[in-house]
Amino acid sequence: MQTFRGPVGAGALGRTLIHEHVFVGSTELDVNHPHPEWDEDRAVALAARQLTELYRLGVRTVVDLTVLGLGRDVARVARVAQQVPVHLVASTGYYTADVLPPFFGTHGPGRLVGGPDPLVEFFVGDIEVGIAGTGVRAGMLKVVTDAPGITDDVARVMTAAAVASRQTGVPITTHSRPDLRNGLDQQAFLRAAGVDLSRVVIGHCGDSEDLPYLRSLMDAGSTIGMDRFGMEHVLPDERRVAVVLELLRLGYADRMVLSHDAATFSRVTPPSWRAAHAPHWRFETIPRRIVPMLLDGGASPEEIERMLVTNPARILVPA
């Protein structure tokens, strides 16, 4: 398993938060119109403190799902990784719900400039060689579908991710919209592209209380990401916990992973907004708040470890 500090074995991953972000930005805005709350040195120091505290709370690995389209800067995150005891895992993919930048319209088979599909080259290179000259190799692929559905450009990203996953063994996680039940569309597309659905995490399923839908995703072979704890402006944590508890009761402990989709800094929802509107949307919410709620609700310690340790390790370590 590749991390910012190099490869580690599955047994070293420990408790893992499999869907998080260290920094989320917008590259052109950040260059031309810096956010008033952003200071890189302070942000790096804050991230290092938060991740060190997370280690003290028992978490050993954090997957940073900040990919292209979300202001990914692996060199910046590497500054954090050098200071913290947790394993940080980098990701590759492209975050778009509709269209790609114009570069991709002219580059690729049958296009104006031609050549191989740069998305495949980027994804495979990030996994096999390293990202942006840092030597940090990606350990997860990420794709997105949202309200626009699987547009032509989204299909192109998903196809490239499927090729990279098949070639390298690296798993795929998705941004999904459970209110639209579009995890089913993601599964159908990736299955048709030759991806083993046991290597796919359907993300953001914790936003849903639709048990038949969630069960259908797991019954098809995927793991579901109950990965937005603390996002109580979308669904209160008590209701998120209740869904997990019911799925545990139904025997799905081996098909769920837990996380927050949090960030130490996000331009989309900056720190001042989060402090006022989503105070529990933090890396430490699962160990401090959610695990006790699950245990009080009847989850066993073994089920907690399966969702936080066993399942993430099974997904992250290439088949």
Side-chain angles (χ1 to χ4, degrees):
M1 175 67 216
Q2 295 295 329
T3 75
F4 271 77
R5 291 193 295 266
V8 300
L13 296 178
R15 285 197 171 192
T16 297
L17 301 179
I18 202 168
H19 194 130
E20 306 293 351
H21 301 275
V22 180
F23 308 121
V24 174
S26 175
T27 303
E28 287 193 347
L29 284 175
D30 295 342
V31 170
N32 293 281
H33 301 284
H35 194 278
E37 295 181 44
W38 172 258
D39 178 277
E40 180 164 337
D41 289 340
R42 285 203 298 267
V44 167
L46 175 61
R49 287 197 300 272
Q50 291 185 358
L51 290 165
T52 299
E53 173 64 10
L54 198 55
Y55 185 91
R56 191 187 69 78
L57 293 171
V59 173
R60 295 293 178 263
T61 302
V62 174
V63 179
D64 182 0
L65 283 172
T66 309
V67 297
L68 296 174
L70 291 174
R72 183 182 70 176
D73 187 333
V74 167
R76 179 185 292 151
V77 178
R79 293 180 58 195
V80 178
Q82 292 165 4
Q83 302 178 48
V84 300
V86 298
H87 301 299
L88 282 174
V89 177
S91 301
T92 189
Y94 211 108
Y95 191 100
T96 180
D98 43 25
V99 297
L100 288 162
F103 165 84
F104 295 100
T106 59
H107 288 70
R111 299 175 186 271
L112 179 65
V113 176
D117 190 335
L119 287 168
V120 174
E121 292 189 319
F122 292 166
F123 298 170
V124 173
D126 286 353
I127 293 165
E128 295 187 338
V129 179
I131 299 169
T134 64
V136 175
R137 295 168 60 186
M140 179 72 92
L141 285 147
K142 183 179 184 179
V143 300
V144 176
T145 69
D146 211 296
I150 301 178
T151 66
D152 289 346
D153 278 2
V154 168
R156 188 175 172 190
V157 173
M158 293 179 71
T159 299
V163 171
S165 180
R166 294 197 317 267
Q167 181 170 325
T168 66
V170 166
I172 297 173
T173 195
T174 77
H175 164 104
S176 78
R177 279 282 299 273
D179 59 317
L180 303 176
R181 297 170 63 93
N182 71 354
L184 298 170
D185 299 329
Q186 293 175 344
Q187 285 186 321
F189 187 99
L190 292 170
R191 183 192 294 111
V195 177
D196 177 356
L197 292 185
S198 71
R199 305 294 296 149
V200 176
V201 180
I202 304 297
H204 307 332
C205 287
D207 288 353
S208 178
E209 297 173 284
D210 183 347
L211 294 181
Y213 167 65
L214 299 178
R215 293 180 70 183
S216 68
L217 295 174
M218 293 185 284
D219 290 342
S222 295
T223 299
I224 61 172
M226 313 306 276
D227 55 25
R228 281 182 157 178
F229 285 104
M231 285 185 66
E232 297 195 273
H233 52 291
V234 177
L235 189 69
D237 281 344
E238 289 77 8
R239 290 165 65 181
R240 294 177 184 272
V241 167
V243 171
V244 173
L245 289 170
E246 180 60 15
L247 291 173
L248 289 175
R249 188 187 69 78
L250 292 169
Y252 288 99
D254 64 338
R255 284 285 179 257
M256 289 187 283
V257 287
L258 310 180
S259 211
H260 307 92
D261 196 17
T264 62
F265 180 92
S266 171
R267 181 159 191 148
V268 180
T269 49
S272 59
W273 184 91
R274 291 188 181 216
H277 299 283
H280 296 300
W281 196 14
R282 301 165 55 87
F283 293 157
E284 64 190 48
T285 284
I286 285 174
R288 286 193 184 277
R289 188 164 180 259
I290 301 306
V291 168
M293 291 170 68
L294 288 167
L295 292 170
D296 288 346
S300 69
E302 293 76 19
E303 289 171 328
I304 300 295
E305 291 304 288
R306 182 170 290 276
M307 293 186 290
L308 284 172
V309 179
T310 308
N311 295 345
R314 168 179 54 80
I315 292 160
L316 288 169
V317 177

